[in-house]
Amino acid sequence: MDAERFVRFVEERGLVIHLMRQALARMRESDLHRGELQTLPLVVRLARTLLRLAVLTDQMAQSNAVRLTGLNQEEVAQAIGVTRNAVISGLGQLRAVGLVETARRVIVIRDVEALRRWAAAD
């Protein structure tokens, strides 16, 4: 769809304000994420990232455990601005206290509420 046609579609349906709100929300989220990358400890950033991903799965309402699949440790590292080895270390810390389990391309959050408490620490 070309730009002119898209703009006409949006205007005809009164969607301008909705798109503006969405864009502003994304900008706020992006700013918050950049701030976290610069200031928070690794394990806190990792916990927050895992929780953000968990929300996207729609599993949060069903139980206190969430299964994240299809992500490798390099992708998680890129999301939080660290090396793969740092992610391995952070996941090791979370695994040691029983918050997560890991397997190839799978991270299971065993206790969402406890992970929220870790994510709140800053």
Side-chain angles (χ1 to χ4, degrees), residues 10 25 30 35 39 43 52 61 81 89 100:
V10 168
S30 178
T39 60
V43 74
R52 284 187 191 110
S89 172
V100 301

Side-chain angles (χ1 to χ4, degrees), residues 13-30:
R13 287 160 180 79
L15 300 174
V16 173
I17 194 70
H18 299 293
L19 289 176
M20 288 176 59
R21 284 184 183 136
Q22 181 68 23
L24 289 172
R26 298 280 307 249
M27 288 173 59
R28 277 192 301 271
E29 182 180 329
S30 178

Side-chain angles (χ1 to χ4, degrees), residues 37-100:
L37 291 177
Q38 295 172 352
T39 60
L40 294 178
L42 163 79
V43 74
V44 174
R45 293 191 324 245
L46 178 57
R48 289 182 181 193
T49 298
L50 294 176
L51 289 169
R52 284 187 191 110
L53 293 170
V55 167
L56 297 175
T57 68
D58 288 331
Q59 298 174 43
M60 299 271 286
Q62 299 166 4
S63 73
N64 196 33
V66 176
R67 182 180 176 88
L68 304 172
T69 60
L71 272 178
N72 64 37
Q73 293 169 342
E74 183 62 37
E75 292 166 327
V76 175
Q78 289 173 2
I80 62 174
V82 297
T83 65
R84 180 178 170 271
N85 287 339
V87 167
I88 291 169
S89 172
L91 286 172
Q93 289 177 48
L94 296 176
R95 216 177 12 255
V97 294
L99 294 181
V100 301

